[in-house]
Structures are given as structure tokens and as C-alpha cells.
Amino acid sequence: MAERATLARPYAKAVFEVALDSNALADWQRMLNTAAVVVSDSKVRAFLATPTTTAEQQAALVKDVCGDELDAKAAKLVRVLATNKRLPLLPEIASQFGELKARRERVIGVEIASAFPLEAKTADVLSAALSKKWQCNVALQTTVDAALLGGVVIKAEDIVIDASVRGRMLKLADALMA
């Protein structure tokens, strides 16, 4: 998987620079996400994997399925990717572009898992506290995980804050076994 990320990185960076220069980060994110969904479809993947199809045919298929969602520059990107046999990298390119966009806009994605559904007010308080702590905007996503027993687990990029009852019990068990 690391190889796909490595191959996609230069494309994501180049597209990010183009989007930044034209002040169209949101438009490019939408176009990349659309193209990524198209190439992720099983029928499209099968067509792209067929050795007899040309790069022009592959690019034409992706552009046709995307329809008016792609502008001229995005269509050119699809042609370049097809020529270099990199169309299957579009989901990874879209993902890396999203990370660059979030970093630029100083937004961090945070997932909060709790044993019970969080009230909106509690989620807002947590979001505000995390925004203050990390000095950026927080895009909060909440999930329910009954296995936690109580408390929350907060995940943001490579940071994990385990304030759950289950986590505390596991730490206690480790301490007793040591």
C-alpha cells in the first residue's frame, strides 16, 4: 500500500498547486472524489485492467462517466494518468489531496468513539476544546462503541486519547501483571 501512496503523492501535490493557484480547492476536491468513485467501480476497474484498451479509451471512459463534473484541467489530468497507467491511483490521489487541503485550511479530522451517543452540546464542547488545544478547526465525527463501557476514545491523525473505562481497565490489568 505504501507504494500506491508514493506513486500518488507527486500527482496529488501537483494538482494541489494547480488548485491553489486558481483558488479552486473545493472544486478540485469534488472533481477528484468523483473520478475516484468512478475508477473504484468494479466494471470500470475491469475495463482499465484489460490489456487491449488504450490510454485514450480509458481516459474517455472515465471522462464520459464523470460527465460535466470534470472541467478541462481535470480531464487533462485523467488523460495524463491514463497515459502513465495511473488511473487506479485516483482514490489515493483524492485522499492525499484532501489531506493537503485540510492542512492548508488548518482543519483536523477527529473521530470520537463513545459508549453512548454524545449529545450535541457535549460534542460542541469537545470540539471547541480540541480546536483550542490544537489551534485549528476540528471536523468532528462521532461513533458509538458499546465495548468501551463508558468514556470516550478520541482519534486525530496519529494521536489517540483513550479515556474509556475499557482502556483504564486494560491499563490496570497490565499494571497488575507487571
Side-chain angles (χ1 to χ4, degrees):
M1 196 53 112
E3 184 177 331
R4 290 178 58 83
T6 302
L7 292 172
R9 189 170 296 112
Y11 294 103
K13 286 182 178 179
V15 171
F16 182 75
E17 291 300 322
V18 168
L20 201 55
D21 289 344
S22 60
N23 197 24
L25 290 173
D27 292 338
W28 271 97
Q29 184 71 71
R30 178 186 45 76
M31 291 186 289
L32 287 171
N33 288 344
T34 300
V37 168
V38 168
V39 300
S40 296
D41 180 75
S42 60
K43 291 179 183 176
V44 173
R45 273 195 324 245
F47 181 80
L48 296 177
T50 305
T52 58
T53 60
T54 65
E56 293 82 21
Q57 291 171 324
Q58 293 176 349
L61 173 72
V62 173
K63 287 187 291 187
D64 288 346
V65 174
C66 289
D68 294 337
E69 289 295 313
L70 301 182
D71 67 8
K73 288 181 181 179
K76 185 175 182 179
L77 172 67
V78 168
R79 281 194 306 275
V80 168
L81 291 171
T83 300
N84 293 317
K85 300 185 186 324
R86 300 286 191 245
L87 278 174
L89 293 178
L90 267 166
E92 182 66 29
I93 293 169
S95 173
Q96 289 187 23
F97 180 90
E99 291 170 11
L100 292 169
K101 180 178 177 281
R103 198 172 306 136
R104 169 74 179 184
E105 294 172 344
R106 297 193 46 80
V107 175
I108 186 169
V110 176
E111 180 184 331
I112 298 180
S114 61
F116 305 99
L118 288 179
E119 294 179 9
K121 185 177 179 181
T122 305
D124 291 343
V125 168
L126 282 170
S127 180
L130 294 171
S131 292
K132 185 177 179 182
K133 177 181 173 78
W134 290 320
Q135 299 176 350
C136 64
N137 296 322
V138 171
L140 194 64
Q141 178 183 357
T142 61
T143 58
V144 175
D145 182 0
L148 296 178
L149 303 175
V152 296
V153 175
I154 301 171
K155 295 179 185 177
E157 294 180 349
D158 61 345
I159 299 168
V160 177
I161 301 169
D162 188 348
S164 68
V165 172
R166 182 182 71 187
R168 290 179 188 160
M169 289 174 61
L170 290 173
K171 286 180 188 175
L172 180 61
D174 286 343
L176 292 173
M177 296 300 246

